[in-house]
Amino acid sequence: MKIVYSPRHRAHHARQEINRGELVPAHETPERAEAILSALQSAGVGLVVPPEDFGLDPILRVHDAGYVSFLQEAHVRWTASGRSGAAIPMAWPARDMPRVLRSTALDAQLGHYSFDIGTPITAGTWDAALASAHCALTAADIVRSGEPAAFALCRPPGHHAGHDYSGGYCYLNNAAIAAQHLRESGQERVAILDVDYHHGNGTQALFYNRADVFYASIHGDPASEYPYYLGHADETGRDAGAGHNLNLPLPVGSGWPEWSAALDTALDTIAAHAPQALIVSLGVDTFAGDPISKFRLETAHFPQIGQHLAALELPTVFLMEGGYAVAAIGRNVAGVLGGFQQPDRQ
Ligand code: Q9C
Ligand code: ZN
C-alpha cells in the first residue's frame, strides 16, 4: 500500500514536556516518524508518496475558523511578547467561568483553545499539522480512487484534537478530517477504529451526535488513564448519533487476550454498521515497552491486528496516531500493515 509522508513534520519539534510534574524530554518527536518511514521502506510495504495540497477547506469542515487562525498565529504572538521557546497554555476557565472568549490576551486564548499543557505550539507547528492533515486527506483519496488501503504517516497525531481545541500532542484531527472528506466525496457511512492506547476524545466528540460516522475505540480506562474525562463505556452517542459510538476501555496491564477480544467486539460492531470505508487511528502505544502507556502488547501481536482488520474487507485508510517506544515503533507499525497486506503469511 502507498505510504503518504511529508518531511514537513520535522518543523514541529517541542523539546520538553511536563510529565508527572516534571519537565522531561518530549515524547512526541520527529524521530518517531523517521523511524516509521525507514522501517516501512525496509519492509517493502509500498511506495512513499508526498501529500497533495488540499488547502484549508477540508480542515475548516471539521475545525473552528478562529481556532485554525489562532494555531497559525500563536507562536508569532508568543515571540512578539518577548518569550522564548514554545507557546504553552497555563490557565483554563473553571466550570463557573464563561467559556466564551472575551480576553484578547494570548494566555487566555492559549487556554481557550486547548485542554492540556502537553501540546506546545512551536514556530513550525502549524506547517507540520497542516501537512499531517494533508497526508490523511491524500491517503483517503488514494483509497477512494480504488486502492484497497493506504497509510498516512501523520505527525503530529490528531485524535485528541476537537472542534476548537488542541491536546494530547494533537492540533488537527486527521482522522476526522479524512472521515469528513470521505463523507463529502460520496461515502455514506464511514467507520473510525481507534486502536491507540489513549481514547480519541476529539474524534468521539466531533461525531458524537452523528449517525454517518461510527467511532469505536479500544483504550486504557479513563478511570485512571489520559484523557480521563472522556472514553467511558457508557458513552454511546447522542441524538442522531445514539448507538454510533463504542468505547471499549480496558484496565491498565491488559495484554493480547483482553485486547484482541475487544478488537473482535469492535470489528463485529463495525461490520454491523456496514460502512463503505474504514479509517484506522493507528497508535502503537499499546506496546509493552511504551514509556507512557500501560498495555502489554508485544511486537508479534501487531501483525495479528492487521490480519484481523483485513478480514473486514473494507477500503481502509490507516493513519498514524501515538507510539513512543522509538526503537520499536517502526517494526510495530510495519507489523500491522504487513499483517493487513499478507494476512495468510502471518
Ligand atoms: N503521564 C497520543 O498518543 N500525556 N497522545 C499523558 C501521562 C498525554 C498521548 C501523561 C499523552 C497524549 C496521540
Ligand atoms: Zn496514544
Side-chain angles (χ1 to χ4, degrees):
M1 71 180 80
K2 290 205 177 98
I3 299 155
V4 191
Y5 166 84
S6 167
R8 285 166 60 197
H9 78 85
R10 295 180 200 142
H12 174 59
H13 192 180
R15 311 283 152 176
Q16 294 172 309
E17 68 176 72
I18 292 182
N19 201 18
R20 300 164 62 90
E22 286 176 16
L23 200 54
V24 299
H27 287 100
E28 204 293 285
T29 60
E31 289 71 33
R32 297 175 58 249
E34 300 303 318
I36 295 165
L37 180 65
S38 83
L40 297 186
Q41 287 179 308
S42 306
V45 164
L47 197 65
V48 179
V49 300
E52 280 168 47
D53 185 0
F54 288 79
L56 278 184
D57 287 355
I59 313 298
L60 294 170
R61 298 292 297 147
V62 166
H63 290 287
D64 175 73
Y67 172 60
V68 167
S69 301
F70 175 75
L71 285 178
Q72 295 177 65
E73 297 160 3
H75 190 264
V76 171
R77 292 172 62 191
W78 180 266
T79 304
S81 70
R83 310 186 211 182
S84 61
I88 295 177
M90 50 203 133
W92 291 269
R95 270 167 295 285
D96 51 1
M97 300 178 190
R99 296 289 165 113
V100 283
L101 186 59
R102 297 183 67 188
S103 173
T104 55
L106 175 58
D107 292 279
Q109 300 195 350
L110 279 164
H112 179 77
Y113 288 124
S114 68
F115 73 92
D116 73 11
I117 197 174
T119 315
I121 301 173
T122 68
T125 295
W126 168 254
D127 276 347
L130 183 62
S132 187
H134 286 169
C135 286
L137 287 161
T138 303
D141 267 1
I142 290 169
V143 167
R144 198 167 56 94
S145 76
E147 297 200 20
F151 174 64
L153 212 176
C154 296
R155 180 182 174 271
H159 73 154
H160 295 301
H163 178 64
D164 61 357
Y165 51 89
S166 61
Y169 313 147
C170 303
Y171 306 86
L172 299 177
N173 194 313
N174 305 310
I177 290 164
Q180 184 65 24
H181 181 67
L182 287 176
R183 282 288 297 108
E184 290 180 20
S185 45
Q187 318 278 1
E188 289 195 3
R189 289 179 308 282
V190 175
I192 301 174
L193 174 62
D194 191 328
V195 298
D196 186 279
Y197 176 77
H198 305 95
H199 177 252
N201 59 281
T203 316
Q204 170 172 313
L206 281 161
F207 298 114
Y208 204 61
N209 61 1
R210 286 171 54 172
D212 57 334
V213 180
F214 178 75
Y215 177 73
S217 177
I218 306 165
H219 50 270
D221 190 338
S224 65
E225 300 306 287
Y226 185 92
Y228 313 116
Y229 304 106
L230 214 62
H232 302 272
D234 62 1
E235 298 160 6
T236 55
R238 184 198 308 129
D239 301 332
H244 295 269
N245 194 87
L246 177 67
N247 284 330
L248 298 166
L250 296 175
V252 159
S254 292
W256 181 249
E258 303 92 322
W259 200 92
S260 61
L263 180 61
D264 289 342
T265 303
L267 295 179
D268 287 350
T269 313
I270 287 168
H273 278 77
Q276 276 103 33
L278 175 68
I279 294 173
V280 180
S281 266
L282 179 58
V284 294
D285 38 12
T286 48
F287 177 56
D290 195 90
I292 62 167
S293 311
K294 297 169 188 163
F295 284 168
R296 297 270 155 78
L297 268 53
E298 300 293 346
T299 292
H301 296 129
F302 290 94
Q304 297 187 53
I305 298 176
Q307 189 178 4
H308 279 74
L309 293 170
L312 275 182
E313 298 187 321
L314 285 170
T316 301
V317 179
F318 289 93
L319 51 88
M320 200 61 216
E321 300 284 0
Y324 308 98
V326 178
I329 192 172
R331 60 177 179 266
N332 290 343
V333 174
V336 175
L337 302 183
F340 183 90
Q341 296 197 109
Q342 298 183 313
D344 305 331
R345 280 227 216 145
Q346 304 304 322

